[in-house]
Amino acid sequence: MSQQIQYPEGGQKITVGSDGRLQVPDNPIIGYVEGDGIGPDINRACMRIWDAAVEKAYGGRRKIHWAELFMGEKAAALYDGDYFPDETKAALRDVLISIKGPLTTPVGGGFRSLNVSLRQELDLYACVRPVRHYAGVPSPLQRPEDIDVVIFRENTEDVYAGIEYQAGSADNEKVARFLREEMGEEFFDGAGLGVKPISPFGTKRLVRKAIEYAIEHDRESVTLVHKGNIMKYTEGAFRTWGYEVAREEFPDRTITEEELYATYGGKRPEGKIVIKDRIADIMFQLMLLRPNEFDVLATMNLNGDYLSDAIAAEVGGVGIAPGANMSDNVAVFEATHGTAPKYANQDKVNPGSLLFSGVMLLEHIGWSEAADLIRAAYEKVVGAGIVTYDFARSLQGATEVKTSQFADALIDQMHGTIDIDRIQREREEAIEAERQAREQRRVVAPLEEMVASGRVPHTVADLMNPNLVTMSGDTSVEDAMHLMRERRISSVVVQPAPDEAEGMGIMTQRDVISRVVSATKQPSQVRISEAATRPLITVPEDTSLLDCAERMGAENIRRMVVIDTQGRPIGIISDTDIFASVEQFGLPE
């Protein structure tokens, strides 16, 4: 194979330390793929801006050494028609950090998409898309400044896994026969068939990355976006496994939305990330009506695809939407739009998507000063009405400039006087003020705020009281009564006493009245194991509220202990909880 890639002299490779973090020298080698169509135009402009920002921010102490890598049409010309050569795959793994322009997928087979192939070949399992509004950018919303979210979209599973069987094919008939005859499924004849794999491994590494990002960037919440009320064993499982990651791997840094209200009265504890979830269709509505309720979104592949572009449209479109595809170590930042071949070599288009993907790259390697400089200059330039043709059509009195001229304007602005500290301080103050306003609404009117923010309970985990209290069976009823009053709880889970063979049970206030007080026994002389109801009736955390209500009726009980996937008690759900939910939200789907 032809050897075309040359690493620049004077640069050093980025490495990964023993702690799993990137080790970035002051002269890192970073890969770039120029891209097809408009790729060369925007790439030239953006590299000038990135280099100028690094030079200005660090006074020449730091410099990126760019190594050109080849994909798409340029690669095909150099590698005998190979659009994604092995040499490029190896280099992307070797340099760890790269950025690419838009690519053309060859017609006639071989690839469903070069972008999909890239993600699959390098196991870039997280598509990361930050979406925020910049002052001066045209938007269809009245308050686009309320949008500032980062979407973590799972890249490898869901319907995008590509497991499909064409209608009329032999494979389709084989699968259809199995589904009908072996599994008892019913569907129309001649249907195309697809498989939607969602795994705990794929889900957890995606959600883990989202939570780590939220912690590192002082975000307020991570929202799991799903359609688990309908697809219980795929999208519902995504939700369940997402909560498991938070509970098991980040117990000191995360709380659930239920705990936010039930335990903390709507006030988010300092340093805690709130883990919540929303139904996908409701999420689209909320990102129009109450976008400032959300910080980081963790989604499956298809939902994330829809949401990324829909939210981007609210702040200027995919033409300025940045993105990256990441594994644990390798990251490829990218323009999120197409190649727009009719504008190729015209020095005309908006470089924003690739530009801000480079800003993401700078932040990813820890060069936030250079990233902040570009953002500040961008708002100054666009705010002055200096824009490319796409924005000029929507802004009165705008000055339309070429791609290269827009880069000139940003570089000139960066060399002028920009008070980065003041801009950052004002932004942080605005974020904090909005957080306090939301907290005040949660404290003053919690139910109204739950409804307005789209929190609709649909499983027992959504409604359970997580303040589960477990006591040994040899504890006296009197001591248990004191504790129940202090904690303002109506029941305790009873562990077997050392001399008992029976399993766990539950003791409620009603049990104390019916089995101790009405029997004229002294609470100080009765063990809670004698007053408890056994065996303990439990319900898995992903059980629907309707199924739980049916089970309560069948067992003739008022409350059940909620258990996680390992069978551990994690909360209590009562008939009062379900009653209040139905009265407030109506019957769940």
Side-chain angles (χ1 to χ4, degrees):
M1 176 182 287
S2 173
Q3 298 297 308
Q4 302 291 340
I5 296 173
Q6 300 292 325
Y7 289 167
E9 294 183 5
Q12 288 181 270
K13 292 180 185 177
I14 296 172
T15 58
V16 179
S18 57
D19 59 356
R21 293 182 174 274
L22 293 179
Q23 305 295 309
V24 182
D26 287 339
N27 56 341
I29 296 173
I30 291 179
Y32 77 94
V33 175
E34 190 175 56
D36 300 324
I38 59 174
D41 283 350
I42 61 176
N43 187 75
R44 281 191 296 269
C46 289
M47 290 185 76
R48 289 172 51 216
I49 297 168
W50 299 328
D51 287 343
V54 171
E55 170 68 28
K56 176 68 175 178
Y58 306 113
R61 182 170 57 85
R62 287 175 168 173
K63 179 183 178 181
I64 294 174
H65 292 255
W66 298 101
E68 185 171 11
L69 314 179
F70 304 101
M71 289 183 69
E73 294 173 349
K74 197 167 185 177
L78 293 171
Y79 295 86
D80 298 324
D82 191 345
Y83 281 75
F84 192 9
D86 289 340
E87 186 181 17
T88 297
K89 297 172 188 175
L92 289 167
R93 294 187 181 95
D94 189 36
V95 299
L96 296 181
I97 307 299
S98 305
I99 191 164
K100 72 175 187 65
L103 295 171
T104 298
T105 294
V107 177
F111 295 101
R112 284 190 301 141
S113 160
L114 274 176
N115 288 328
V116 171
S117 297
L118 173 69
R119 295 166 187 168
Q120 292 177 342
E121 289 281 351
L122 302 181
D123 193 28
L124 304 177
Y125 61 83
C127 178
V128 184
R129 294 276 294 271
V131 188
R132 58 170 283 195
H133 184 253
Y134 291 92
V137 174
S139 165
L141 300 189
Q142 291 182 337
R143 289 184 53 83
E145 64 272 18
D146 286 349
I147 295 176
D148 185 4
V149 299
V150 182
I151 303 167
F152 279 74
R153 167 192 170 198
E154 206 288 320
N155 252 346
T156 64
E157 297 191 311
D158 203 358
V159 293
Y160 279 33
I163 307 174
E164 292 187 290
Y165 302 95
Q166 185 178 4
S169 68
D171 286 343
N172 176 284
E173 292 177 7
K174 185 185 301 183
V175 174
R177 189 181 311 114
F178 170 77
L179 290 173
R180 289 189 174 108
E181 296 177 3
E182 299 294 327
M183 305 302 294
E185 304 294 348
E186 297 181 4
F187 48 89
F188 291 123
D189 290 337
L193 299 174
V195 178
K196 177 189 177 76
I198 304 291
S199 71
F201 174 77
T203 296
K204 289 185 176 183
R205 65 178 180 174
L206 184 279
V207 175
R208 181 181 302 115
K209 204 169 192 69
I211 294 174
E212 288 171 346
Y213 179 94
I215 292 172
E216 186 174 344
H217 293 83
D218 189 30
R219 291 285 183 153
E220 189 174 6
S221 66
V222 173
T223 303
L224 309 171
V225 181
H226 61 94
K227 192 65 178 170
N229 56 328
I230 303 300
M231 291 171 276
K232 301 180 186 300
Y233 305 122
T234 52
E235 305 221 359
F238 175 89
R239 173 188 180 276
T240 299
W241 292 325
Y243 276 116
E244 281 183 12
V245 171
R247 184 170 62 247
E248 296 172 2
E249 299 184 24
F250 303 92
D252 298 328
R253 297 304 306 271
T254 64
I255 59 172
T256 65
E257 193 172 25
E258 290 70 41
E259 290 173 306
L260 175 66
Y261 284 102
T263 305
Y264 300 100
K267 294 186 176 182
R268 183 176 69 96
E270 185 69 27
K272 299 284 190 180
I273 307 298
V274 180
I275 309 299
K276 51 190 178 182
D277 71 277
R278 294 292 183 270
I279 301 297
D281 46 350
I282 296 172
M283 193 70 221
F284 278 84
Q285 182 181 151
L286 292 170
M287 286 309 302
L288 287 169
L289 301 178
R290 293 173 69 95
N292 59 10
E293 296 282 348
F294 304 97
D295 273 323
V296 176
L297 309 181
T299 85
M300 284 155 291
N301 211 325
L302 186 60
N303 291 334
D305 195 3
Y306 295 152
L307 271 172
S308 297
D309 286 359
I311 301 174
E314 299 175 9
V315 297
V318 294
I320 62 166
N325 294 293
M326 299 180 176
S327 67
D328 291 336
N329 298 317
V330 178
V332 180
F333 298 81
E334 65 178 358
T336 59
H337 52 68
T339 58
K342 72 175 184 177
Y343 293 121
N345 303 313
Q346 294 184 28
D347 195 22
K348 182 181 179 71
V349 299
N350 190 332
S353 178
L354 188 64
L355 174 67
F356 286 118
S357 295
V359 169
M360 286 179 69
L361 184 155
L362 291 169
E363 285 190 324
H364 186 68
I365 64 173
W367 293 12
S368 58
E369 297 85 357
D372 290 341
L373 197 58
I374 294 173
R375 287 198 188 95
Y378 182 87
E379 288 200 318
K380 291 282 188 180
V381 170
V382 174
I386 302 171
V387 294
T388 49
Y389 84 99
D390 53 330
F391 285 177
R393 294 177 299 184
S394 304
L395 297 173
Q396 282 191 333
T399 300
E400 181 178 330
V401 296
K402 298 179 178 180
T403 311
S404 57
Q405 292 172 326
F406 185 75
D408 292 338
L410 257 68
I411 293 168
D412 289 345
Q413 186 65 56
M414 286 190 291
H415 284 126
T417 303
I418 301 179
D419 190 345
I420 296 293
D421 291 339
R422 179 186 62 79
I423 292 172
Q424 185 68 16
R425 185 171 60 253
E426 289 176 352
R427 175 172 169 75
E428 290 173 355
E429 289 172 353
I431 290 173
E432 183 57 30
E434 181 57 40
R435 285 182 176 180
Q436 291 180 5
R438 285 197 299 273
E439 180 175 285
Q440 184 65 18
R441 294 196 299 268
R442 291 195 299 262
V443 171
V444 173
L447 274 178
E448 290 84 347
E449 190 62 14
M450 286 184 205
V451 175
S453 66
R455 179 175 173 258
V456 179
H458 55 95
T459 70
V460 294
D462 295 328
L463 286 182
M464 70 179 187
N465 183 341
N467 299 318
L468 188 71
V469 175
T470 300
M471 306 184 76
S472 173
D474 56 7
T475 305
S476 73
V477 170
E478 182 178 57
D479 288 344
M481 291 171 68
H482 291 326
L483 182 66
M484 291 164 74
R485 285 197 63 192
E486 289 173 3
R487 300 279 186 93
R488 297 183 178 181
I489 56 177
S490 61
S491 61
V492 294
V493 173
V494 180
Q495 296 280 4
D499 59 349
E500 291 180 322
E502 290 187 84
M504 290 194 297
I506 187 170
M507 186 188 77
T508 67
Q509 292 176 341
R510 184 179 178 182
D511 292 329
V512 173
I513 298 299
S514 63
R515 296 172 181 172
V516 179
V517 177
S518 65
T520 64
K521 297 178 181 178
Q522 289 293 337
S524 60
Q525 299 175 9
V526 180
R527 301 194 306 177
I528 62 174
S529 60
E530 300 173 54
T533 298
R534 288 175 166 147
L536 185 67
I537 300 176
T538 63
V539 60
E541 61 183 319
D542 58 354
T543 302
S544 72
L545 297 182
L546 294 178
D547 288 344
C548 182
E550 182 180 353
R551 179 90 183 276
M552 282 182 174
E555 299 282 354
N556 192 29
I557 55 177
R558 295 188 56 196
R559 56 180 54 78
M560 301 177 75
V561 172
V562 181
I563 57 174
D564 64 15
T565 53
Q566 276 73 50
R568 297 170 300 198
I570 58 173
I572 288 181
I573 178 99
S574 71
D575 56 357
T576 302
D577 297 325
I578 298 177
F579 179 93
S581 174
V582 173
E583 187 274 332
Q584 182 66 42
F585 302 105
L587 281 175
E589 292 186 38

